[in-house]
Amino acid sequence: MTRYIRHAAAFCALLLLALLVNATRIQLVQARSYDENPANRRHTIARYGQPRGDILVGGKPVTGSKDSGQQFRYERTYKNGPLYAPVTGFASQVYGTNLLEGAEDDILAGTDPLLSPLPLWNDLTRARNPGGHVVTTLDPAAQRAAYEGLGDRRGAVAALEPSTGRILALVSTPSYNPEELSGTDSAVAQAWTRLNQAADKPMLNRAVRQTYPPGSTFKVVTAAAALDAGVVEDVDEPTKSPDPYRLPGSSVRLTNEVEGCADASLRYAFAWSCNTVFAKLGVNVGVAGMRAAAAGFGFNERQLRVPFRVSPSTFDTRVDQAQLALSSIGQYNTRATPLQMAMVAGAVANNGSVRTPHLVERTTTDDGDTVSATGQRTLRQAMNPATAVQLRGLMTDVVERGTGKNAAIPGATVGGKSGTAQHGVHNSGTPYAWFISWAKADDAVEPGVAVAVVVEDAEADRGDISGGGDAAPIARDVMGAVLGR
Amino acid sequence: MLSPGTTAQADPPAPVVPLPRRRGIEFTLIVVAVLLSVYGYCDVGIARTGSVPPGAVGYGAGLGVLALLAHLAVRLRAPNADPLLLPIGVLLNGLGLVLIYRLDLETPDDPAAPTQLVWSTLGMGLFIAVVVLLRDHRVLQRYTYVSVVSALVLLVLPIFFPSVNGARIWVRVAGFSIQPGEFAKVLLAVFFAGYLAANRNALAYTGRRVWRLQLPTGRVLGPIVAIWLLSVGVLVLERDLGTSLLFFGLFVILLYVATGRTGWIAVGLLLAACGAVAVGWLEPHVHSRVEDWLHPFASIEAGLGPNQLAQSLFSFAAGGMLGTGLGLGHSVLIGFAAKSDFILATAGEELGLAGLSAIFLLYGLLVERGYRAGLALRDPFGRLLAVGLASIVALQVFVIAGGVTGLIPLTGMAMPFLAQGGSSVVTNWIIVALLMRLSDSARGRSGTAQAEEAGGSERAKGIEGIEGIQGAEGGVAP
């Protein structure tokens, strides 16, 4: 019997060996493919297993983390959530991330290899780095001024520093509290549904993701094109433009809201926003010239990231002469984000060159060591420096004696341009009020801020809406906050 | 003529030097096992909350006192028993409690560790009872037929109770669930050993000879095949496929060891293959298990999320070589069976391949020690019982560990000592107790147990005589 017992024992040893070999196969040989299976929740659990790094505004975190004790352990918290939501976006266990939370996710979640002190070290130890921090370029005072200026109205504000492209304020109203989307309980799903179905779209980032017809604020672009192309050589010479202006190749007659536009000078037409003059200038510059000028400011740019994606602003280039005339006064298919219009104002302020707008000053490790810093990059030269000087004069006139008096700041030079954009079928929608401007403190070498404000107030009486009336005071408060006045 | 490795070398002449008893080694190993378990318990707490869990002292003291009591019982009543068996049991049981406690932290509404501790206490109590009360394993041979009747009753019992999670294997009494099939394992092993020990010559050498195959007479083979078919049939009805596989394997192994006929293995494997294919095709429950085994990620591809087996594989993979550390894995994703059938996944994830191999080797050592006792014993009943009990452990570990690691189709079974399940822990402690008794007899022969042998020498000679005959003919027949 002994022999057979030995055989049976050998059989059991064989079973044991099979188990060991198979365990090695799963745990070592095939482990990676199992780990990377998208249905394996361990990545997500690990990702929320440590507190996220913070997003800093003015040196102070506007985000936080709290331990929920759940499977997806750390939930995101926000200080002044609605104020900074158009910048931070949300970080949700269920719905993912967006805006800065999404664009800088690797840093914040601690997965960016740059956070490791030693390359490949984490591959060996399987450890995760603590989340890094994202230092924004925002000016908290400007952000708050913009948010409070918009108040209950729908609209957006984008402000930047013309010489660097640093974004100083990015506000969209109505806003929402991204903290509502943190966590996994049913309240999160309810908030998600409610926010997505709300008529006034609180989760839409109007400053960078919504394009509006820029209306008369686009006349800055048209003026730059006309001056650069030599169509206008002296801003005080008459422009030989009729009032009303019959759009070429059609019977449509374009009129003005103000008097004195017939044969007006560029300075007068700019200050009082004569549609006829700018429509004719656009046609005189031609499609190619207008397209080049618009592109110089950043229109039709599809790749812009700040670091999250910015919706492209458009200037339609397949147009006939009548459409070109309308496009040149910011109507027809011309559309722009508030950030784009802030870039237009910024280009004028910065001697004609457009700096790439950016929202992240630098990213740091948990300890504050810099991981990467955003360098200044010139996007492109939008106009000749001499043209920029002339346009600064025109824009200053608007604030000093034209439609933008509400934007004036004592102790500072302010240039601006108002706009009221028609939209909807037969222009039936409530018009959007625009104001774009820049400001230079009297004791400063160069303009410190450029801003674009759009107010889409559906409840106001149509006649009351105007860029100078509704949007200019907000622009003034934002610029005043940046300049400290 | 003697076949190699049988009686000639296994039957030493008059004992000269008593085997060392090694109770001191057992004591040391038990202390190590208890300390390891307490360390694991503290490690879970520190990993999860940053502090030693409040129950650590109580848990360590409880396990330690129980283990020491068991050790004292062994010193008193089985002083020559194998010194490894008890420490392995203590370590596996302690580790199981740690793993269950660790999973309890993820499911605070459904704590299982306290209940498991109660059952472990009961199991170790029964261990002590068996060691103290069962003075000689040969007594069990008298209860061969009582065993089989009890086993069948236990197997049939759950049919009258509602099914749980697709298997009708539980009996609920006063809030406690008992799995009678677990106890039936031991009883059936006693029956197989007793019956085969009594009839093995008849099985091996009587009956007609067809070509090269010597068939036993139906009168001898009939009853045992009937019992076996009955138990497997009942289990299939109850959908307890793991246990039916276990009984099948146990039957084939013991039949082979008793008769030495390789033909039995061939017939057994053939029958098993036919049965497996038939059941796998026809029975939907089994069919789905086979499908899961072949395509563990089918439910993911179908957009339904990972099933238990896929989650288990993810768990093992996440462990890698060294594991995530106790308390730091996510095996709870497996779902409701994480503490029972899939407990090994937690070990694999948090202790890694290193820890998992260690656990497998502990089982391997347990089985090997059982076989060693079987080899050293003289009486066929004892030998078969030792082999049977050790094989139960081996087969059970293989079936469930192979199932959760995707080696074979999954069948619900409890990992001995590790898994949540009162009946299982109690049964395994009884198995270890019986192995202790058997090894005590085996090792005691050479030294101190001479007094016992004096009475039983007649009988021993008779047994050896049979062994001699078998040896003589065994060279020709198989």
Side-chain angles (χ1 to χ4, degrees):
Chain A
M1 203 192 272
T2 304
R3 197 170 122 204
Y4 311 125
I5 294 178
R6 288 187 196 281
H7 289 170
F11 172 69
C12 290
L14 213 63
L15 294 185
L16 177 67
L17 189 70
L19 287 181
L20 287 172
V21 169
N22 188 53
T24 309
R25 174 183 70 88
I26 296 177
Q27 299 203 266
L28 295 187
V29 181
Q30 293 186 348
R32 186 172 283 268
S33 80
Y34 289 132
D35 280 341
E36 285 167 0
N37 190 302
N40 195 339
R41 289 171 85 181
R42 281 173 180 74
H43 278 296
T44 325
I45 292 172
R47 173 197 174 82
Y48 292 103
Q50 65 178 22
R52 262 169 100 72
D54 283 321
I55 295 172
L56 275 62
V57 172
K60 294 195 185 91
V62 296
T63 57
S65 282
K66 72 165 185 232
D67 187 348
S68 69
Q70 306 288 308
Q71 191 179 69
F72 298 138
R73 191 165 160 194
Y74 284 97
E75 294 180 359
R76 196 60 147 166
T77 59
Y78 294 88
K79 298 169 187 122
N80 294 317
L83 174 61
Y84 291 109
V87 176
T88 60
F90 56 79
S92 165
Q93 275 89 335
V94 185
Y95 300 103
T97 55
N98 77 344
L99 303 184
L100 270 191
E101 294 273 27
E104 298 291 353
D105 187 57
D106 287 351
I107 292 283
L108 294 167
T111 54
D112 195 310
L114 290 174
L115 289 170
S116 302
L118 297 167
L120 301 177
W121 176 249
N122 288 6
D123 286 350
L124 283 176
T125 60
R126 294 188 172 208
R128 287 174 85 87
N129 295 304
H133 302 308
V134 171
V135 182
T136 66
T137 57
L138 285 188
D139 179 331
Q143 182 82 1
R144 185 161 288 283
Y147 186 71
E148 285 172 358
L150 284 168
D152 297 335
R153 291 173 292 184
R154 286 201 306 225
V157 173
L160 45 78
E161 191 173 67
S163 57
T164 58
R166 300 167 72 234
I167 295 175
L168 302 172
L170 209 61
V171 169
S172 172
T173 54
S175 191
Y176 69 104
N177 190 351
E179 196 163 319
E180 289 184 273
L181 300 177
S182 298
T184 48
D185 50 10
S186 58
V188 172
Q190 285 164 18
W192 177 259
T193 312
R194 175 170 49 77
L195 291 171
N196 273 298
Q197 290 177 349
D200 50 6
K201 297 183 184 168
M203 283 177 31
L204 173 65
N205 188 345
R206 292 172 163 83
V208 295
R209 292 281 171 84
Q210 173 73 315
T211 58
Y212 299 90
S216 303
T217 58
F218 192 76
K219 287 167 183 167
V220 176
V221 177
T222 307
L227 286 167
D228 264 4
V231 172
V232 175
E233 292 188 340
D234 185 342
V235 295
D236 293 310
E237 286 285 304
T239 50
K240 297 174 188 157
S241 43
D243 180 12
Y245 173 62
R246 191 176 57 80
L247 297 184
S250 80
S251 57
V252 177
R253 284 161 176 270
L254 194 64
T255 57
N256 296 303
E257 305 257 330
V258 289
E259 300 292 315
C261 286
D263 204 21
S265 68
L266 184 60
R267 186 183 299 281
Y268 183 90
F270 195 87
W272 296 103
S273 210
C274 296
N275 288 336
T276 51
V277 174
F278 283 93
K280 177 169 176 293
L281 283 179
V283 171
N284 290 354
V285 171
V287 172
M290 281 303 295
R291 177 183 61 204
F297 286 96
F299 281 82
N300 296 336
E301 163 68 52
R302 307 203 156 267
Q303 308 297 329
L304 183 60
R305 292 178 172 273
V306 292
F308 48 82
R309 193 180 60 81
V310 176
S311 292
S313 300
T314 54
F315 180 82
D316 197 340
T317 53
R318 289 181 298 180
V319 287
D320 60 25
Q321 295 287 296
Q323 290 162 341
L324 176 62
L326 286 174
S327 295
S328 302
I329 56 167
Q331 300 286 345
Y332 187 57
N333 282 343
T334 306
R335 295 186 72 88
T337 59
L339 179 66
Q340 173 62 63
M341 293 319 291
M343 288 161 70
V344 168
V348 174
N350 193 40
N351 300 317
S353 74
V354 179
R355 299 281 185 185
T356 309
H358 60 272
L359 195 49
V360 175
E361 188 79 60
R362 60 198 168 91
T363 55
T364 73
T365 63
D366 183 43
D367 304 334
D369 298 334
T370 296
V371 173
S372 71
T374 310
Q376 288 179 26
R377 286 162 293 161
T378 299
L379 183 60
R380 50 179 74 81
Q381 191 71 23
M383 65 191 109
N384 291 326
T387 304
V389 171
Q390 288 177 304
L391 267 177
R392 274 159 78 162
L394 296 183
M395 288 181 78
T396 314
D397 282 354
V398 170
V399 175
E400 284 175 359
R401 56 183 82 89
T403 55
K405 284 177 185 163
N406 283 336
I409 300 171
T413 309
V414 180
K417 181 75 193 84
S418 64
T420 308
Q422 315 277 321
H423 69 107
V425 179
H426 302 299
N427 297 335
S428 58
T430 312
Y432 300 127
W434 274 97
F435 197 79
I436 69 172
S437 61
W438 49 264
K440 179 175 94 67
D442 286 346
D443 51 3
V445 183
E446 55 191 4
V449 56
V451 63
V453 178
V454 64
V455 179
E456 41 167 311
D457 197 340
E459 289 173 28
D461 186 5
R462 188 174 164 160
D464 286 343
I465 288 202
S466 72
D470 281 318
I474 301 173
R476 177 194 61 212
D477 291 348
V478 173
M479 293 187 295
V482 175
L483 300 181
R485 287 166 207 270
Chain B
M1 170 185 173
L2 295 174
S3 58
T6 49
T7 49
Q9 77 186 70
D11 185 24
V16 185
V17 186
L19 268 177
R21 291 179 163 185
R22 302 198 189 280
R23 294 272 72 82
I25 288 180
E26 182 180 77
F27 177 78
T28 312
L29 289 175
I30 284 174
V31 170
V32 169
V34 171
L35 287 179
L36 270 176
S37 305
V38 173
Y39 172 76
Y41 192 78
C42 296
D43 200 25
V44 169
I46 289 169
R48 295 297 301 248
T49 63
S51 61
V52 172
V57 174
Y59 166 74
L63 192 67
V65 166
L66 282 170
L68 286 181
L69 284 178
H71 172 68
L72 284 179
V74 170
R75 265 188 194 269
L76 224 64
R77 294 291 197 172
N80 295 301
D82 194 307
L84 283 184
L85 292 169
L86 182 58
I88 290 174
V90 171
L91 181 53
L92 288 172
N93 199 163
L95 194 58
L97 285 166
V98 168
L99 292 175
I100 292 166
Y101 165 74
R102 179 259 168 284
L103 288 168
D104 277 352
L105 296 179
E106 310 276 353
T107 55
D109 305 332
D110 180 27
T115 322
Q116 184 77 355
L117 192 57
V118 171
W119 281 111
S120 303
T121 309
L122 187 61
M124 292 173 89
L126 281 173
F127 172 92
I128 293 169
V130 169
V131 168
V132 169
L133 298 179
L134 183 71
R135 303 299 302 274
D136 185 344
H137 66 268
R138 284 170 290 196
V139 171
L140 290 176
Q141 196 168 7
R142 287 184 218 147
Y143 300 108
T144 300
Y145 294 98
V146 176
S147 292
V148 73
V149 171
S150 327
L152 287 179
V153 168
L154 285 176
L155 284 174
V156 172
L157 209 55
I159 291 183
F160 305 106
F161 288 83
S163 72
V164 180
N165 300 323
R168 200 179 279 274
I169 52 178
W170 275 275
V171 171
R172 286 180 184 279
V173 183
F176 278 103
S177 315
I178 299 167
Q179 229 172 309
E182 290 282 345
F183 305 113
K185 281 173 201 164
V186 180
L187 294 170
L188 219 56
V190 170
F191 164 69
F192 282 154
Y195 187 89
L196 290 172
N199 297 295
R200 65 198 187 97
N201 288 311
L203 280 165
Y205 307 114
T206 58
R208 277 175 300 175
R209 192 185 179 92
V210 179
W211 190 43
R212 298 181 60 185
L213 203 64
Q214 180 104 39
L215 289 181
T217 57
R219 205 165 55 83
V220 185
L221 188 62
I224 195 164
V225 170
I227 297 292
W228 169 70
L229 273 180
L230 203 62
S231 46
V232 171
V234 167
L235 291 170
V236 168
L237 276 182
E238 292 170 359
R239 292 184 171 175
D240 190 359
L241 298 155
T243 310
S244 64
L245 201 61
L246 176 67
F247 285 178
F248 184 86
L250 180 66
F251 178 63
V252 172
I253 288 179
L254 286 185
L255 204 55
Y256 170 74
V257 170
T259 64
R261 310 297 292 272
T262 323
W264 287 125
I265 296 184
V267 172
L269 288 179
L270 203 70
L271 280 176
C274 294
V277 168
V279 174
W281 272 107
L282 300 175
E283 220 280 329
H285 185 69
V286 186
H287 185 69
S288 70
R289 288 282 173 88
V290 174
E291 284 294 315
D292 284 349
W293 172 59
L294 291 173
H295 312 286
F297 296 147
S299 67
I300 296 172
E301 282 147 23
L304 299 171
N307 60 18
Q308 280 189 318
L309 181 58
Q311 289 284 20
S312 172
L313 292 175
F314 290 162
S315 253
F316 281 106
M321 186 71 210
L322 297 175
T324 58
L326 275 173
L328 300 173
H330 302 290
S331 52
V332 74
L333 291 172
I334 291 167
F336 78 90
K339 295 175 195 171
S340 49
D341 292 1
F342 286 93
I343 192 90
L344 204 61
T346 303
E349 177 162 3
E350 305 199 343
L351 302 175
L353 181 61
L356 192 65
S357 304
I359 289 173
F360 282 154
L361 290 176
L362 283 178
Y363 285 118
L365 212 52
L366 191 62
V367 173
E368 188 260 347
R369 289 281 145 171
Y371 270 91
R372 177 166 293 210
L375 283 170
L377 277 165
R378 287 288 151 271
D379 63 307
F381 171 73
R383 304 189 109 188
L384 287 171
L385 187 58
V387 168
L389 294 173
S391 302
I392 285 177
V393 175
L395 289 172
Q396 193 160 352
V397 167
F398 178 75
V399 167
I400 182 61
V404 297
T405 56
L407 183 62
I408 58 170
L410 186 66
T411 47
M413 268 197 127
M415 204 72 198
F417 291 113
L418 281 189
Q420 176 197 5
S423 323
S424 171
V425 168
V426 168
T427 308
N428 285 304
W429 273 118
I430 293 173
I431 288 177
V432 171
L434 290 174
L435 286 177
M436 288 296 273
R437 170 53 61 214
L438 288 162
S439 72
D440 181 53
S441 305
R443 292 157 60 94
R445 272 180 56 84
S446 52
T448 54
Q450 296 220 4
E452 272 181 56
E453 284 302 308
S457 60
E458 254 349 271
R459 191 167 169 181
K461 268 188 188 130
I463 291 162
E464 277 148 27
I466 294 168
E467 194 88 42
I469 294 164
Q470 191 232 340
E473 292 185 18
V476 185

